[in-house]
Amino acid sequence: MAVYRCLQSGNTVEFTLPHDIESMVGHSGYERIDEVDLEEVVNEERTDTSFMPVMAKPKGRPRKANV
C-alpha cells in the first residue's frame, strides 16, 4: 500500500496494486507520504475552501393566478 499526496490540491490517493505504485514513482505532481504523515493529513483542517449557504427554491410549479 502506498499513499500519495497531490502537490497542487493536497488530495490524497491510496494505491494497492504494484503496477499503480510503480507508475506513480516517476510522477512529478505527487509525493509519497508515510503512515505518520497520513494521520496529520486526516486531522488537518482545510482553510482554502469557503462554503456559502444555499437558498432553497420552492418546490413545484408556481400557483395559477385567478383572473
Side-chain angles (χ1 to χ4, degrees), residues 49-57:
T49 58
S50 61
F51 296 99
M52 295 178 56
V54 178
M55 301 301 290
K57 294 196 289 185

Side-chain angles (χ1 to χ4, degrees), residues 24-37:
M24 290 301 291
V25 170
H27 201 290
S28 63
Y30 288 86
E31 67 177 357
R32 186 170 182 172
I33 57 175
D34 295 332
E35 293 297 325
V36 177
D37 294 338

Side-chain angles (χ1 to χ4, degrees), residues 5-6 15 17 45 47 49 55 57:
R5 179 186 307 159
C6 178
F15 295 102
L17 297 176
E45 184 176 328
T47 59
T49 58
M55 301 301 290
K57 294 196 289 185

